[in-house]
């Protein structure tokens, strides 16, 4: 046990060793105080897209500090926010016309929920229920926890969480159950919005589902006049092989949340985009219809400048081709685990791969996750399994040998945990 004055996130300090300090980052690596280079195979909790300290983004940040710090974002605007908003509208699926800035993924979802409720409130329609998907994750604030899967992570806070309507996860072959459940909720007439992570549920265990499900959700929502909120906080910026995951299904949500890769992962920033319909429902000479939301650091100009630089990187550095290449590399490695009885559910979507280690005690609290973390750490890798789910979500700059190292480590660690080779 190591007493720590810093209370680290998702960390049981009674069980963890003293954390080493990271002294610098570069590309796919973290460098610790002893000079060890650690391969960041999970993009530092899914935020780093191109690689750590991308020179174009770092330069944009330095340049922005010559002109700006934080500026109040009511009464005044600034160029980095305006350029970023224009770039975002061009980058997301069509139909999203307005951008509301905030500072984290959780906040972007809170904003989305408030936009949805405000939309119906301002139109004097009584719709105030939210449909969510089983195993969903939308953040750690009270509001987003309410919309996420209930479990050991939020049991203590359950008295503060509001009720939502949950549809089952669309397991392969059982998709119709999910859609039927959705339709039953929609028929009540009380559903304001359906909030979901398109195509892959991240924190819920990298669970993937077919684009057709998203298409059908969109169709049902249209029929019953419900809004669709796509939480693309994790799936955005190329992770699933397209810039946004909704593109796989050719679907435009009414509201889209983005954060993690928005600045390439360099600085905290988030945006919630919405349709003109939603914006217009808040546009009125009646001040009570104002969208009442703000945070102190809304649209921080330095973070926005990093976001603009990220868009430049996307435009000029062949990011899409790199993502395809990374997907292909995964495709070469992954088959070795496909008929391996140590694993099940071997899956890939774009740059993300996941596989379930066949242990009997699954679930987050099982010891297997922390044990694997330590074994990966000893092999110079940052990999944090979700219970028995091992996944890789590397920055796009990762090289072929680096990726091979990660796959070899998964093979080795699995054998150690299970006490047997393949
Ligand atoms: C990480 C995540 C969030 C929360 O983002 P924070 O920046 O950690 O608040 C919300 N939704 C999804 C899908 C996420 O993966």
């Amino acid at each position: 046990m190591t007493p720590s004055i810093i209370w680290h996130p998702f960390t049981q300090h009674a069980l963890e060793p003293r954390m080493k300090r990271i002294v610098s980052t570069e590309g796919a690596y973290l460098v610790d105080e002893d000079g060890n280079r650690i391969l960041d195979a999970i993009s530092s909790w899914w935020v780093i897209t191109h690689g750590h300290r991308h020179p174009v983004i770092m330069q944009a940040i330095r340049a922005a500090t010559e002109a700006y710090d934080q500026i109040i974002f009511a009464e005044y605007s600034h160029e980095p926010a305006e350029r970023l908003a224009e770039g975002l509208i061009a980058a997301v699926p069509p139909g999203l016309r307005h951008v509301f800035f905030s500072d984290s993924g959780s906040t972007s979802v809170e904003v989305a929920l408030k936009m949805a409720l405000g939309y119906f409130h301002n139109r004097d329609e009584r719709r105030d229920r939210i449909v969510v998907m089983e195993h969903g994750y939308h953040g750690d604030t009270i509001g987003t926890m309410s919309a996420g899967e209930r479990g050991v992570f939020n049991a203590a806070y359950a008295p503060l969480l509001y009720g939502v309507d949950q549809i089952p996860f669309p397991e392969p072959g059982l998709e119709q159950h999910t859609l039927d459940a959705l339709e039953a909720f929609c028929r009540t007439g009380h559903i304001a919005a359906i909030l979901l992570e398109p195509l892959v549920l991240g924190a819920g265990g990298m669970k993937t589902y077919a684009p057709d499900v998203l298409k059908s959700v969109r169709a049902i929502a249209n029929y019953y006049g419900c809004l669709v909120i796509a939480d693309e906080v994790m799936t955005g910026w190329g992770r699933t092989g397209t810039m946004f995951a909704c593109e796989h299904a050719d679907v435009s949500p009414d509201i889209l949340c983005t954060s993690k890769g928005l600045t390439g992962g360099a600085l905290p920033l988030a945006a919630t985009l919405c349709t003109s319909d939603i914006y217009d429902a808040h546009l009125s000479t009646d001040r009570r219809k104002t969208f009442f939301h703000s945070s102190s650091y809304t649209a921080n100009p330095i973070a926005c400048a990093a976001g603009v630089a990220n868009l430049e990187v996307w435009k000029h550095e062949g990011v899409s081709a790199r993502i395809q290449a990374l997907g292909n590399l995964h495709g070469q490695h992954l088959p070795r685990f496909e008929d391996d009885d140590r694993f099940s559910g071997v899956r890939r979507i774009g740059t993300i791969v996941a596989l379930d280690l066949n242990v009997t005690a699954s679930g987050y609290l099982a010891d297997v996750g922390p044990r694997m973390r330590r074994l990966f750490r000893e092999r110079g890798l940052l990999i944090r399994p979700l219970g028995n789910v091992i996944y890789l979500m590397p920055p796009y700059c990762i090289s072929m040998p680096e990726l091979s190292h990660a796959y070899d480590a998964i093979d080795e660690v699995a054998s150690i945990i299970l006490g047997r080779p393949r």
Side-chain angles (χ1 to χ4, degrees):
M1 174 144 34
T2 349
S4 169
I5 59 165
I6 297 177
W7 204 343
H8 287 267
F10 273 88
T11 299
Q12 179 42 270
H13 282 278
L15 293 170
E16 293 290 321
R18 185 187 77 84
M19 285 184 198
K20 281 199 182 172
R21 292 196 186 111
I22 297 302
V23 295
S24 67
T25 62
E26 188 173 15
Y29 288 94
L30 312 176
V31 182
D32 75 15
E33 56 192 326
D34 301 324
N36 299 309
R37 285 161 64 78
I38 301 132
L39 184 62
D40 186 354
I42 58 163
S43 301
S44 277
W45 258 346
W46 319 346
V47 301
I48 302 294
T49 46
H50 316 292
H52 285 278
R53 284 199 302 120
H54 190 288
V56 171
I57 297 172
M58 293 296 110
Q59 179 50 37
I61 292 170
R62 278 192 293 273
T65 63
E66 295 296 323
Y68 309 106
D69 51 7
Q70 174 64 25
I71 305 164
I72 187 170
F73 206 55
E75 297 205 31
Y76 290 101
S77 186
H78 52 72
E79 188 186 320
E82 286 166 9
R83 285 185 59 197
L84 180 55
E86 279 164 25
L88 278 174
I89 286 169
V92 296
L96 298 161
R97 293 270 148 65
H98 301 275
V99 182
F100 192 96
F101 287 109
S102 61
D103 41 32
S104 75
S106 302
T107 319
S108 73
V109 175
E110 297 273 1
V111 165
L113 293 169
K114 287 174 70 171
M115 280 179 178
L117 270 283
Y119 172 74
F120 289 108
H121 181 264
N122 289 351
R123 290 158 39 117
D124 287 324
E125 271 187 69
R126 236 208 96 228
R127 282 177 183 255
D128 51 15
R129 303 273 316 168
I130 304 293
V131 171
V132 300
M133 189 178 274
E134 182 189 13
H135 303 304
Y137 176 81
H138 301 287
D140 277 342
T141 57
I142 297 293
T144 56
M145 271 193 300
S146 301
E149 185 71 26
R150 307 293 169 95
V152 65
F153 310 103
N154 45 42
Y157 328 118
L160 297 181
L161 306 186
Y162 57 80
V164 292
D165 295 322
Q166 193 192 65
I167 54 173
F169 178 80
E171 299 287 354
L174 299 174
E175 290 90 348
Q176 196 55 44
H177 288 304
T178 302
L179 300 174
D180 290 346
L182 174 60
E183 200 152 6
F185 284 130
C186 288
R187 250 186 250 117
T188 64
H190 295 307
I191 303 303
I194 302 143
L195 164 65
L196 43 73
E197 299 161 84
L199 268 53
V200 50
L201 277 54
M206 298 297 157
K207 293 174 74 72
T208 57
Y209 62 90
D212 275 352
V213 175
L214 193 57
K215 256 197 174 71
S216 303
V217 166
R218 177 73 270 184
I220 293 169
N222 284 351
Y223 185 81
Y224 290 97
C226 312
L227 302 174
V228 173
I229 305 172
D231 177 353
E232 292 246 20
V233 170
M234 185 280 276
T235 50
W237 306 102
R239 291 292 179 199
T240 69
T242 51
M243 191 179 259
F244 289 94
C246 284
E247 293 168 39
H248 288 278
D250 213 4
V251 153
S252 284
D254 301 285
I255 304 178
L256 182 145
C257 308
T258 177
S259 180
K260 280 169 179 140
L262 175 53
T263 59
L267 286 173
L269 184 66
T272 308
L273 289 92
C274 72
T275 59
S276 300
D277 250 12
I278 295 169
Y279 178 83
D280 290 348
H282 291 82
L283 208 55
S284 167
T285 50
D286 180 353
R287 288 187 186 279
R288 287 172 302 181
K289 294 194 174 181
T290 303
F291 185 56
F292 292 110
H293 191 92
S294 169
S295 45
S296 308
Y297 287 100
T298 293
N300 175 271
I302 301 165
C304 286
V308 172
N310 175 45
L311 287 169
E312 294 295 310
V313 171
W314 270 87
K315 204 176 289 172
H316 301 300
E317 296 191 13
V319 179
S320 299
R322 202 166 320 136
I323 288 167
Q324 294 308 315
L326 174 53
N328 291 341
L329 286 182
H330 280 313
Q332 287 166 29
H333 282 286
L334 214 47
R336 78 198 244 192
F337 296 129
E338 255 152 26
D339 43 29
D340 183 332
D341 68 356
R342 295 172 302 167
F343 300 102
S344 47
V346 178
R347 53 204 182 271
R348 169 170 89 83
I349 177 163
T351 70
I352 307 168
V353 295
L355 60 179
D356 307 341
L357 187 67
N358 288 334
V359 288
T360 37
S362 64
Y364 190 88
L365 280 193
D367 245 13
V368 49
R371 278 181 63 209
M372 284 197 275
R373 260 201 288 126
R374 181 170 51 78
L375 291 165
F376 284 124
R377 202 158 57 224
E378 287 165 5
R379 285 159 180 73
L381 275 158
L382 175 61
I383 295 181
R384 291 175 58 96
L386 300 156
N388 68 324
V389 180
I390 303 170
Y391 72 91
L392 298 176
M393 197 191 293
Y396 309 148
C397 66
I398 195 168
S399 71
M400 170 110 105
E402 288 159 357
L403 201 61
S404 300
H405 174 50
Y407 276 96
D408 290 344
I410 290 174
D411 206 333
E412 212 182 342
V413 166
S415 293
I416 294 171
I417 295 283
L418 297 176
R420 66 182 168 94
R422 161 167 201 176

